[in-house]
Amino acid sequence: MGVVTILFAALGFMSPASRGALVTGMLCSYLLLGAAAGYTAVRLWNTIHQGAAPSTNWKSIAWKSSSVFPGIGFAVFTSLNCLLWYNGSTGAVPFLLFLILILLWFFVSVPLTLIGGLIASRVKPIEYPVKTNKISRHVPAAQCSPWLFVGVAGTLPFGTLFIELFFIMSSIWLGRVYYVFGFLLLVLGLLVAVCAEVSVVLTYMGLCVEDWRWWWRAFFASGSVAAYVLGYAVYYLVFDLHSLSGLVSAALYVGYSLLMAGAVMLATGAVGLAASFWFVYYLFSTVKLE
């Protein structure tokens, strides 16, 4: 969704001065890309289980893909919007528009995700290049916890985006117009590259010490940038957002900052996991078995 929206904005199809166009573009791309989300989730699930799990479980995977993150987002959005309604704020989303968003979620996003999952369930999963042992191999004791490196790894992706993050936060909370979408697209490309490299390096370090449990570390190695984004949101609140006052404004800032950090974690973590998966696949596909 982010890539599609930023790309269209950089090409001039969306006016930076019209925030409604950007929000509409984000919403439409998210709804339509539900098919890609369902296909990717079910294909990955089939690849992990290699057909050993029941074939009907793809419905559960696709349903979770279409409901977990949007459900959390709607829960946060509903809570904050009810708070605005209670205080009589003009910034509250009208009930009719709120109902339309829910209908779009259930009647557009969810069906497209299920369709994508159905297609993926009929596609042959990616086969592993080598056979795996039925008994898990013992992992040697590490001198240092690998999760320490995972936490530190997030500093590198954060270093590529923290300057742009300031302008994005200013555009959201101070009403400033953001124009340099071309540069933002470049920063996004650098962020994806750095996230992939960080996850691949940590995955390789783990394999070198015979630690085969790489998948969650690969996800959080790049996804840990979300913790630094959340920390920057706190820094921005304390030192730059002097106009914020009142409990309602603070609740809005905290709620949307948490939601933004969660979205960043899922996006960057998915990049790291995909990069590490293909690295491990390529690494073992080059092994010559006599």
Side-chain angles (χ1 to χ4, degrees):
M1 180 197 72
V3 171
V4 172
T5 304
I6 295 173
L7 180 62
F8 274 84
L11 294 176
F13 292 102
M14 299 179 184
S15 174
S18 177
R19 297 192 177 186
L22 289 174
V23 175
T24 302
M26 292 173 62
L27 179 62
C28 291
S29 61
Y30 185 88
L31 293 173
L32 296 178
L33 288 173
Y39 179 89
T40 304
V42 175
R43 185 77 187 279
L44 178 61
W45 177 80
N46 283 336
T47 299
I48 292 174
H49 292 280
Q50 291 292 300
S55 59
T56 57
N57 281 7
W58 71 265
K59 298 178 183 179
S60 175
I61 301 299
W63 170 250
K64 291 175 182 177
S65 300
S66 65
S67 60
V68 173
F69 178 72
I72 295 174
F74 262 100
V76 174
F77 177 71
T78 303
S79 301
L80 297 177
N81 206 49
C82 289
L83 186 61
L84 292 175
W85 281 338
Y86 178 78
N87 288 272
S89 174
T90 56
V93 177
F95 178 77
L96 180 60
L97 179 57
F98 186 79
L99 182 61
I100 292 175
L101 292 176
I102 295 179
L103 292 177
L104 287 174
W105 175 22
F106 279 102
F107 291 99
V108 178
S109 179
V110 172
L112 286 177
T113 307
L114 293 175
I115 291 174
L118 176 62
I119 296 174
S121 67
R122 299 181 177 180
V123 177
K124 187 178 180 180
I126 302 173
E127 295 183 357
Y128 296 149
V130 293
K131 294 182 179 180
T132 56
N133 296 328
K134 299 297 182 181
I135 301 176
S136 300
R137 185 174 180 176
H138 174 71
V139 178
Q143 297 180 352
C144 180
S145 174
W147 291 102
L148 178 62
F149 295 99
V150 169
V152 176
T155 58
L156 296 177
F158 180 73
T160 64
L161 61 82
F162 79 96
I163 296 178
E164 284 301 302
L165 191 58
F166 169 78
F167 295 105
I168 293 173
M169 298 287 282
S170 299
S171 176
I172 295 175
W173 299 107
L174 297 180
R176 299 173 183 173
V177 180
Y178 188 89
Y179 286 101
V180 286
F181 283 97
F183 188 74
L184 181 61
L185 183 63
L186 176 62
V187 171
L188 180 62
L190 292 175
L191 176 65
V192 170
V194 173
C195 286
E197 292 172 359
V198 165
S199 294
V200 166
V201 168
L202 288 186
T203 299
Y204 181 72
M205 291 173 59
L207 294 178
C208 286
V209 295
E210 302 180 16
D211 190 350
W212 45 267
R213 301 166 302 183
W214 58 267
W215 39 90
W216 281 115
R217 286 202 300 269
F219 180 86
F220 286 110
S222 54
S224 61
V225 66
Y228 296 93
V229 171
L230 190 60
Y232 183 83
V234 176
Y235 171 86
Y236 187 83
L237 173 63
V238 175
F239 293 99
D240 293 305
L241 202 58
H242 302 294
S243 60
L244 189 67
S245 61
L247 179 62
V248 176
S249 299
L252 288 174
Y253 185 85
V254 171
Y256 286 127
S257 295
L258 290 173
L259 191 60
M260 179 179 67
V264 169
M265 183 191 70
L266 292 177
T268 55
V271 171
L273 177 62
S276 293
F277 176 83
W278 287 115
F279 169 74
V280 173
Y281 185 90
Y282 174 78
L283 187 67
F284 282 93
S285 64
T286 57
V287 175
K288 303 298 182 182
L289 298 177
E290 299 297 336

